[in-house]
Amino acid sequence: MEKPLLSDKAKESERWDSYQYLQRNSSSARNNVSFAGAGVTLEEVRSASAVSDPPPLYPPVLTTPVSLPTPEAIGYPSASGAGHELQRQVLDEIEIRELLIDHIGHRCCWGSRPARTWKIRAVEDCNVYVGTLDTFIEEREALTQTVPFAGGNFNGKKHGSAPELWQLDLRSQFPTLFVPYKETRVPVPHSETVDKCTGCTGRGEVVCPTCNADGEPGYYKENQMMKCSACYGRGLIAHKDGSDSICADCNGEGKLPCPNCQSRGLIKCQTCDGTGSLLTSSIAVVRWKTLSKRKVSATRGAGSVPEEVFHRAEGVQLCNTQAYQCTPAYFADSYFLNKFSSEVISLRAEVPPTANVVCERHAISVVPVTRVTMEDRGKAFNFYIIGFGKEIYMKDYYPARFCWGLCPCLEWLKV
Protein backbone atom coordinates (compact mmCIF):
# COMPACT_ATOMS: atom_id res chain seq x y z
CA MET A 1 0.00 0.00 0.00
CA GLU A 2 1.46 3.35 -0.99
CA LYS A 3 1.80 5.96 1.75
CA PRO A 4 0.53 9.45 0.92
CA LEU A 5 3.04 12.24 0.60
CA LEU A 6 2.74 15.91 1.39
CA SER A 7 2.10 18.06 -1.66
CA ASP A 8 3.23 21.63 -2.31
CA LYS A 9 1.26 24.07 -4.40
CA ALA A 10 3.34 26.74 -6.13
CA LYS A 11 2.09 30.29 -6.11
CA GLU A 12 2.87 33.06 -8.55
CA SER A 13 6.38 34.48 -8.47
CA GLU A 14 6.83 37.96 -7.06
CA ARG A 15 9.65 40.49 -6.89
CA TRP A 16 10.97 42.71 -4.16
CA ASP A 17 13.69 45.31 -4.87
CA SER A 18 16.35 43.44 -6.86
CA TYR A 19 15.43 39.96 -5.63
CA GLN A 20 12.95 37.41 -6.92
CA TYR A 21 11.30 34.58 -5.12
CA LEU A 22 8.70 31.91 -5.57
CA GLN A 23 6.22 31.42 -2.74
CA ARG A 24 5.05 27.90 -2.07
CA ASN A 25 2.58 26.75 0.51
CA SER A 26 2.11 23.19 1.68
CA SER A 27 -0.60 22.02 3.98
CA SER A 28 -1.37 18.34 4.10
CA ALA A 29 -3.57 16.10 6.13
CA ARG A 30 -3.67 12.34 6.14
CA ASN A 31 -6.33 10.00 7.37
CA ASN A 32 -5.31 6.40 6.80
CA VAL A 33 -4.38 6.29 3.10
CA SER A 34 -6.53 9.06 1.61
CA PHE A 35 -5.50 12.65 0.89
CA ALA A 36 -7.43 15.54 2.41
CA GLY A 37 -7.80 18.12 -0.33
CA ALA A 38 -7.15 18.02 -4.04
CA GLY A 39 -6.26 14.71 -5.65
CA VAL A 40 -2.68 13.80 -6.46
CA THR A 41 -1.81 11.64 -9.42
CA LEU A 42 0.33 8.52 -9.17
CA GLU A 43 3.03 10.18 -11.29
CA GLU A 44 3.28 13.07 -8.78
CA VAL A 45 3.64 10.63 -5.90
CA ARG A 46 6.39 8.69 -7.67
CA SER A 47 8.26 11.85 -8.67
CA ALA A 48 8.02 13.24 -5.13
CA SER A 49 9.30 10.03 -3.58
CA ALA A 50 12.33 10.12 -5.89
CA VAL A 51 13.53 13.41 -4.32
CA SER A 52 16.20 12.69 -1.71
CA ASP A 53 17.25 16.15 -0.55
CA PRO A 54 15.59 19.58 -0.92
CA PRO A 55 17.18 21.65 -3.69
CA PRO A 56 19.49 24.48 -2.59
CA LEU A 57 18.27 28.07 -2.77
CA TYR A 58 20.18 30.53 -4.92
CA PRO A 59 19.21 34.00 -6.14
CA PRO A 60 17.82 35.43 -8.27
CA VAL A 61 15.14 32.69 -8.25
CA LEU A 62 14.37 31.27 -4.82
CA THR A 63 12.44 28.08 -4.31
CA THR A 64 11.00 26.53 -1.20
CA PRO A 65 12.35 23.13 -0.13
CA VAL A 66 9.94 20.33 -0.87
CA SER A 67 8.58 18.77 2.30
CA LEU A 68 8.56 14.98 2.17
CA PRO A 69 7.46 12.70 4.99
CA THR A 70 9.76 10.06 6.33
CA PRO A 71 8.59 6.49 5.79
CA GLU A 72 7.72 5.95 9.44
CA ALA A 73 4.37 5.09 10.91
CA ILE A 74 3.14 8.52 11.93
CA GLY A 75 -0.11 10.23 11.11
CA TYR A 76 -1.22 13.69 10.18
CA PRO A 77 -4.03 15.82 11.60
CA SER A 78 -7.26 14.00 10.93
CA ALA A 79 -10.63 15.40 10.11
CA SER A 80 -11.92 14.55 13.56
CA GLY A 81 -13.08 17.18 16.00
CA ALA A 82 -9.83 17.08 17.96
CA GLY A 83 -7.94 18.18 14.89
CA HIS A 84 -4.61 16.73 15.95
CA GLU A 85 -5.12 13.00 16.46
CA LEU A 86 -2.07 11.07 15.26
CA GLN A 87 -1.34 7.51 14.33
CA ARG A 88 1.17 5.75 16.52
CA GLN A 89 4.84 5.28 15.79
CA VAL A 90 5.02 1.54 16.25
CA LEU A 91 7.80 0.42 18.63
CA ASP A 92 7.86 -3.11 19.99
CA GLU A 93 9.43 -4.20 23.27
CA ILE A 94 12.61 -5.56 21.67
CA GLU A 95 13.34 -2.31 19.83
CA ILE A 96 12.63 -0.23 22.95
CA ARG A 97 15.08 -2.26 25.01
CA GLU A 98 17.72 -2.16 22.28
CA LEU A 99 17.49 1.62 22.04
CA LEU A 100 17.80 2.01 25.80
CA ILE A 101 20.73 -0.43 26.04
CA ASP A 102 22.55 1.43 23.26
CA HIS A 103 21.95 4.73 25.08
CA ILE A 104 23.29 3.30 28.34
CA GLY A 105 26.29 1.79 26.57
CA HIS A 106 27.67 5.28 25.93
CA ARG A 107 27.82 5.96 29.67
CA CYS A 108 30.62 4.11 31.39
CA CYS A 109 29.05 4.17 34.86
CA TRP A 110 25.55 3.01 33.97
CA GLY A 111 24.47 -0.58 34.31
CA SER A 112 22.30 -2.25 31.69
CA ARG A 113 20.42 -4.64 33.97
CA PRO A 114 17.28 -2.45 34.39
CA ALA A 115 17.11 -1.96 30.62
CA ARG A 116 17.33 -5.73 30.08
CA THR A 117 15.20 -7.11 32.90
CA TRP A 118 12.75 -4.50 34.18
CA LYS A 119 9.19 -4.76 33.00
CA ILE A 120 7.81 -2.23 30.54
CA ARG A 121 4.71 -0.99 32.31
CA ALA A 122 3.48 1.66 29.85
CA VAL A 123 4.19 3.02 26.37
CA GLU A 124 2.50 6.37 25.69
CA ASP A 125 2.41 8.60 22.63
CA CYS A 126 3.27 12.23 23.40
CA ASN A 127 3.69 13.67 19.92
CA VAL A 128 4.95 17.25 19.81
CA TYR A 129 4.38 20.07 17.31
CA VAL A 130 7.31 22.35 16.49
CA GLY A 131 6.71 25.67 14.73
CA THR A 132 9.45 27.90 13.32
CA LEU A 133 9.53 31.34 11.75
CA ASP A 134 12.84 32.30 10.15
CA THR A 135 13.31 35.91 9.08
CA PHE A 136 16.18 36.41 6.66
CA ILE A 137 17.40 40.01 6.76
CA GLU A 138 20.02 42.14 5.07
CA GLU A 139 21.64 44.84 7.18
CA ARG A 140 23.78 47.62 5.75
CA GLU A 141 26.02 50.04 7.57
CA ALA A 142 28.46 52.68 6.28
CA LEU A 143 31.89 53.03 7.86
CA THR A 144 34.57 55.62 7.16
CA GLN A 145 38.06 54.32 6.44
CA THR A 146 41.16 56.50 6.46
CA VAL A 147 44.56 55.29 5.21
CA PRO A 148 47.82 57.02 4.24
CA PHE A 149 47.82 58.29 0.66
CA ALA A 150 51.06 57.69 -1.21
CA GLY A 151 49.97 59.47 -4.38
CA GLY A 152 48.40 58.37 -7.63
CA ASN A 153 44.81 58.27 -8.85
CA PHE A 154 41.81 57.83 -6.59
CA ASN A 155 38.11 57.19 -7.20
CA GLY A 156 36.57 60.51 -6.23
CA LYS A 157 33.60 62.65 -7.19
CA LYS A 158 35.12 63.57 -10.54
CA HIS A 159 34.27 60.05 -11.70
CA GLY A 160 30.64 60.34 -10.59
CA SER A 161 28.49 60.79 -7.53
CA ALA A 162 28.63 58.24 -4.74
CA PRO A 163 25.51 56.00 -4.62
CA GLU A 164 23.30 55.67 -1.58
CA LEU A 165 23.92 52.74 0.73
CA TRP A 166 20.89 50.74 -0.43
CA GLN A 167 21.56 51.56 -4.07
CA LEU A 168 24.65 49.34 -4.16
CA ASP A 169 24.19 46.27 -6.34
CA LEU A 170 25.39 43.32 -4.24
CA ARG A 171 23.74 40.46 -6.09
CA SER A 172 27.11 38.85 -6.71
CA GLN A 173 27.66 38.72 -2.94
CA PHE A 174 24.16 37.47 -2.09
CA PRO A 175 24.38 34.24 -0.06
CA THR A 176 22.18 31.18 0.07
CA LEU A 177 18.90 32.00 1.75
CA PHE A 178 18.62 31.53 5.51
CA VAL A 179 22.34 31.15 6.16
CA PRO A 180 22.99 31.80 9.86
CA TYR A 181 25.38 34.70 9.20
CA LYS A 182 27.49 36.22 6.44
CA GLU A 183 29.32 39.54 6.35
CA THR A 184 31.04 41.32 3.51
CA ARG A 185 32.69 44.72 3.12
CA VAL A 186 32.45 46.63 -0.15
CA PRO A 187 33.99 50.03 -1.01
CA VAL A 188 31.41 52.63 -1.99
CA PRO A 189 32.23 53.83 -5.53
CA HIS A 190 33.29 57.49 -6.00
CA SER A 191 33.51 58.10 -2.25
CA GLU A 192 37.28 58.61 -1.96
CA THR A 193 38.73 61.97 -0.94
CA VAL A 194 42.32 63.10 -0.28
CA ASP A 195 42.96 65.55 2.56
CA LYS A 196 45.97 66.99 4.34
CA CYS A 197 46.98 65.04 7.42
CA THR A 198 45.79 66.86 10.51
CA GLY A 199 48.40 65.25 12.72
CA CYS A 200 51.38 66.78 10.92
CA THR A 201 49.58 69.52 8.93
CA GLY A 202 50.79 67.89 5.73
CA ARG A 203 54.53 67.91 6.58
CA GLY A 204 54.83 64.17 7.15
CA GLU A 205 56.78 64.72 10.40
CA VAL A 206 55.88 65.68 13.95
CA VAL A 207 57.88 67.03 16.89
CA CYS A 208 59.76 64.35 18.81
CA PRO A 209 58.04 63.83 22.16
CA THR A 210 61.23 62.48 23.75
CA CYS A 211 63.73 65.32 23.35
CA ASN A 212 61.22 68.16 22.81
CA ALA A 213 58.66 67.27 25.42
CA ASP A 214 58.80 70.70 27.07
CA GLY A 215 58.73 72.71 23.86
CA GLU A 216 55.88 74.87 22.63
CA PRO A 217 53.40 73.22 20.25
CA GLY A 218 54.60 73.49 16.66
CA TYR A 219 58.18 74.34 17.64
CA TYR A 220 61.15 72.07 18.10
CA LYS A 221 64.90 72.17 18.75
CA GLU A 222 67.56 70.17 17.02
CA ASN A 223 70.64 68.52 18.51
CA GLN A 224 68.97 67.95 21.86
CA MET A 225 71.15 65.51 23.83
CA MET A 226 70.04 63.04 26.50
CA LYS A 227 71.94 62.19 29.70
CA CYS A 228 73.79 58.88 29.44
CA SER A 229 72.02 56.34 31.60
CA ALA A 230 75.15 54.21 32.09
CA CYS A 231 77.38 56.86 33.68
CA TYR A 232 74.63 59.27 34.80
CA GLY A 233 76.21 62.06 32.73
CA ARG A 234 79.69 61.81 34.31
CA GLY A 235 81.35 60.20 31.33
CA LEU A 236 83.17 57.86 33.74
CA ILE A 237 82.31 54.51 35.23
CA ALA A 238 83.33 54.05 38.89
CA HIS A 239 84.71 50.69 40.02
CA LYS A 240 84.85 49.06 43.48
CA ASP A 241 88.61 49.54 43.80
CA GLY A 242 88.17 53.31 43.53
CA SER A 243 89.37 53.65 39.94
CA ASP A 244 87.37 55.17 37.06
CA SER A 245 87.16 54.27 33.41
CA ILE A 246 85.71 56.06 30.40
CA CYS A 247 82.06 55.16 29.73
CA ALA A 248 81.89 53.03 26.61
CA ASP A 249 78.30 54.07 25.82
CA CYS A 250 78.92 57.81 25.49
CA ASN A 251 82.70 57.74 24.93
CA GLY A 252 83.21 59.88 28.03
CA GLU A 253 80.91 62.70 26.90
CA GLY A 254 78.13 61.95 29.37
CA LYS A 255 75.47 62.63 26.74
CA LEU A 256 73.81 60.61 23.98
CA PRO A 257 71.69 61.55 20.94
CA CYS A 258 67.95 61.14 21.31
CA PRO A 259 67.19 57.46 20.66
CA ASN A 260 63.85 58.35 19.07
CA CYS A 261 64.89 60.95 16.46
CA GLN A 262 68.70 60.90 16.65
CA SER A 263 68.45 64.52 17.88
CA ARG A 264 66.78 65.72 14.69
CA GLY A 265 63.84 66.99 16.68
CA LEU A 266 61.32 65.45 14.26
CA ILE A 267 59.98 61.95 13.72
CA LYS A 268 57.79 60.40 11.02
CA CYS A 269 54.06 60.98 11.45
CA GLN A 270 52.41 57.68 12.23
CA THR A 271 48.99 58.84 11.07
CA CYS A 272 49.94 59.41 7.44
CA ASP A 273 53.08 57.24 7.49
CA GLY A 274 55.14 60.24 6.47
CA THR A 275 53.18 61.01 3.29
CA GLY A 276 51.43 64.13 4.62
CA SER A 277 48.10 63.10 3.01
CA LEU A 278 45.21 60.83 3.97
CA LEU A 279 42.80 58.92 1.72
CA THR A 280 39.31 58.77 3.16
CA SER A 281 36.64 56.46 1.73
CA SER A 282 33.27 54.95 2.68
CA ILE A 283 32.99 51.22 3.24
CA ALA A 284 29.64 49.46 3.12
CA VAL A 285 29.39 46.68 5.71
CA VAL A 286 26.66 44.25 4.66
CA ARG A 287 25.43 41.50 6.96
CA TRP A 288 22.99 38.74 6.09
CA LYS A 289 21.60 36.73 8.96
CA THR A 290 18.62 34.64 9.97
CA LEU A 291 16.49 35.62 12.94
CA SER A 292 14.68 32.52 14.20
CA LYS A 293 11.69 32.19 16.46
CA ARG A 294 10.46 28.78 17.58
CA LYS A 295 7.54 27.44 19.52
CA VAL A 296 6.82 23.96 20.83
CA SER A 297 3.41 22.55 21.65
CA ALA A 298 3.89 19.51 23.87
CA THR A 299 1.43 17.44 25.82
CA ARG A 300 1.76 17.10 29.58
CA GLY A 301 3.54 13.78 29.17
CA ALA A 302 6.41 15.41 27.26
CA GLY A 303 6.48 18.64 29.23
CA SER A 304 9.67 17.73 31.10
CA VAL A 305 11.73 17.40 27.92
CA PRO A 306 13.72 20.57 27.01
CA GLU A 307 12.54 22.29 23.85
CA GLU A 308 16.05 22.08 22.33
CA VAL A 309 15.64 18.31 22.11
CA PHE A 310 12.54 18.70 19.93
CA HIS A 311 14.16 21.37 17.74
CA ARG A 312 16.97 19.02 16.67
CA ALA A 313 14.74 15.94 16.37
CA GLU A 314 13.60 14.62 13.01
CA GLY A 315 9.87 14.74 12.35
CA VAL A 316 7.31 15.20 9.60
CA GLN A 317 6.86 18.62 8.05
CA LEU A 318 3.21 19.53 7.83
CA CYS A 319 3.65 22.90 6.13
CA ASN A 320 6.43 25.03 4.71
CA THR A 321 5.68 28.55 3.52
CA GLN A 322 8.19 31.00 2.12
CA ALA A 323 7.27 34.58 1.30
CA TYR A 324 8.33 38.16 1.86
CA GLN A 325 6.06 38.16 4.93
CA CYS A 326 4.56 34.86 5.95
CA THR A 327 0.96 34.53 7.07
CA PRO A 328 -0.49 31.78 9.25
CA ALA A 329 -0.86 28.43 7.53
CA TYR A 330 -4.32 27.07 6.86
CA PHE A 331 -5.42 23.50 7.62
CA ALA A 332 -8.96 22.81 6.51
CA ASP A 333 -9.59 20.19 9.20
CA SER A 334 -7.50 21.32 12.16
CA TYR A 335 -8.36 24.35 14.26
CA PHE A 336 -5.49 23.45 16.60
CA LEU A 337 -2.84 23.71 13.86
CA ASN A 338 -4.32 26.95 12.53
CA LYS A 339 -4.15 28.48 15.99
CA PHE A 340 -0.66 27.12 16.59
CA SER A 341 0.57 28.58 13.29
CA SER A 342 -0.88 31.99 14.21
CA GLU A 343 0.93 31.88 17.55
CA VAL A 344 4.24 31.14 15.82
CA ILE A 345 3.73 34.02 13.37
CA SER A 346 2.99 36.39 16.25
CA LEU A 347 6.50 35.72 17.62
CA ARG A 348 8.07 37.44 14.59
CA ALA A 349 11.56 38.70 15.42
CA GLU A 350 12.23 42.41 15.67
CA VAL A 351 14.17 43.71 12.70
CA PRO A 352 16.92 46.33 13.35
CA PRO A 353 16.24 49.78 11.86
CA THR A 354 19.31 49.47 9.62
CA ALA A 355 18.07 46.22 8.05
CA ASN A 356 15.54 45.12 5.45
CA VAL A 357 13.66 41.83 5.33
CA VAL A 358 14.57 39.66 2.36
CA CYS A 359 12.05 36.89 3.01
CA GLU A 360 10.55 34.69 5.70
CA ARG A 361 10.06 30.96 6.08
CA HIS A 362 7.37 29.39 8.24
CA ALA A 363 7.24 25.66 8.95
CA ILE A 364 5.32 23.36 11.25
CA SER A 365 6.51 19.85 12.00
CA VAL A 366 5.22 17.05 14.15
CA VAL A 367 7.81 15.07 16.08
CA PRO A 368 6.88 11.57 17.26
CA VAL A 369 7.56 11.18 20.99
CA THR A 370 7.10 7.94 22.90
CA ARG A 371 7.20 7.90 26.70
CA VAL A 372 8.21 4.57 28.19
CA THR A 373 7.76 3.61 31.85
CA MET A 374 9.71 0.66 33.28
CA GLU A 375 9.26 -0.76 36.77
CA ASP A 376 10.54 -3.47 39.05
CA ARG A 377 9.66 -4.21 42.68
CA GLY A 378 7.91 -0.94 43.29
CA LYS A 379 10.57 1.20 41.61
CA ALA A 380 10.01 2.90 38.27
CA PHE A 381 11.69 5.29 35.85
CA ASN A 382 10.70 7.05 32.62
CA PHE A 383 12.49 7.87 29.40
CA TYR A 384 11.52 9.25 26.01
CA ILE A 385 12.12 8.09 22.45
CA ILE A 386 12.10 11.21 20.29
CA GLY A 387 11.88 11.69 16.54
CA PHE A 388 12.54 9.35 13.66
CA GLY A 389 16.17 9.28 14.75
CA LYS A 390 14.85 7.63 17.93
CA GLU A 391 16.97 9.68 20.30
CA ILE A 392 16.71 8.65 23.95
CA TYR A 393 16.15 11.36 26.53
CA MET A 394 16.24 10.62 30.23
CA LYS A 395 15.85 13.54 32.59
CA ASP A 396 17.10 12.48 36.01
CA TYR A 397 16.61 9.07 37.52
CA TYR A 398 18.11 5.82 36.29
CA PRO A 399 18.36 3.03 38.88
CA ALA A 400 21.79 1.69 37.91
CA ARG A 401 24.17 4.64 38.10
CA PHE A 402 27.53 4.11 39.76
CA CYS A 403 29.26 7.42 39.10
CA TRP A 404 30.93 9.09 42.10
CA GLY A 405 32.80 11.81 40.22
CA LEU A 406 35.99 9.77 39.81
CA CYS A 407 35.55 8.81 36.18
CA PRO A 408 35.52 10.67 32.82
CA CYS A 409 31.77 10.43 32.19
CA LEU A 410 31.14 13.64 34.20
CA GLU A 411 27.56 12.64 34.91
CA TRP A 412 27.93 14.07 38.38
CA LEU A 413 28.44 17.51 36.78
CA LYS A 414 25.29 17.16 34.66
CA VAL A 415 27.19 17.85 31.44
Short mmCIF file of all heavy atoms in Angstrom, two decimals, residues 5 119 205 264 411:
data_model
loop_
_atom_site.label_atom_id
_atom_site.label_comp_id
_atom_site.label_asym_id
_atom_site.label_seq_id
_atom_site.Cartn_x
_atom_site.Cartn_y
_atom_site.Cartn_z
N LEU A 5 1.98 11.25 0.39
CA LEU A 5 3.04 12.24 0.60
C LEU A 5 2.43 13.62 0.70
O LEU A 5 1.34 13.88 0.18
CB LEU A 5 4.05 12.20 -0.56
CG LEU A 5 4.75 10.86 -0.78
CD1 LEU A 5 5.63 10.97 -2.02
CD2 LEU A 5 5.59 10.51 0.43
N LYS A 119 10.41 -4.62 33.78
CA LYS A 119 9.19 -4.76 33.00
C LYS A 119 8.77 -3.40 32.43
O LYS A 119 8.83 -2.37 33.10
CB LYS A 119 8.07 -5.30 33.88
CG LYS A 119 6.73 -5.46 33.15
CD LYS A 119 5.66 -5.98 34.10
CE LYS A 119 4.31 -6.09 33.39
NZ LYS A 119 3.25 -6.56 34.32
N GLU A 205 55.98 64.90 9.19
CA GLU A 205 56.78 64.72 10.40
C GLU A 205 56.16 65.50 11.55
O GLU A 205 55.51 66.54 11.33
CB GLU A 205 58.22 65.18 10.18
CG GLU A 205 58.99 64.33 9.18
CD GLU A 205 60.41 64.83 9.01
OE1 GLU A 205 60.59 66.08 8.97
OE2 GLU A 205 61.32 64.00 8.92
N ARG A 264 67.29 64.89 15.78
CA ARG A 264 66.78 65.72 14.69
C ARG A 264 65.66 66.63 15.17
O ARG A 264 65.39 67.66 14.55
CB ARG A 264 66.27 64.86 13.53
CG ARG A 264 67.35 64.11 12.78
CD ARG A 264 66.76 63.27 11.65
NE ARG A 264 65.98 64.07 10.71
CZ ARG A 264 64.66 64.01 10.59
NH1 ARG A 264 63.96 63.21 11.38
NH2 ARG A 264 64.05 64.76 9.70
N GLU A 411 29.00 12.61 34.66
CA GLU A 411 27.56 12.64 34.91
C GLU A 411 27.24 13.41 36.18
O GLU A 411 26.19 14.02 36.32
CB GLU A 411 27.00 11.22 35.01
CG GLU A 411 26.74 10.57 33.68
CD GLU A 411 25.64 11.27 32.91
OE1 GLU A 411 24.73 11.82 33.54
OE2 GLU A 411 25.71 11.30 31.68
#
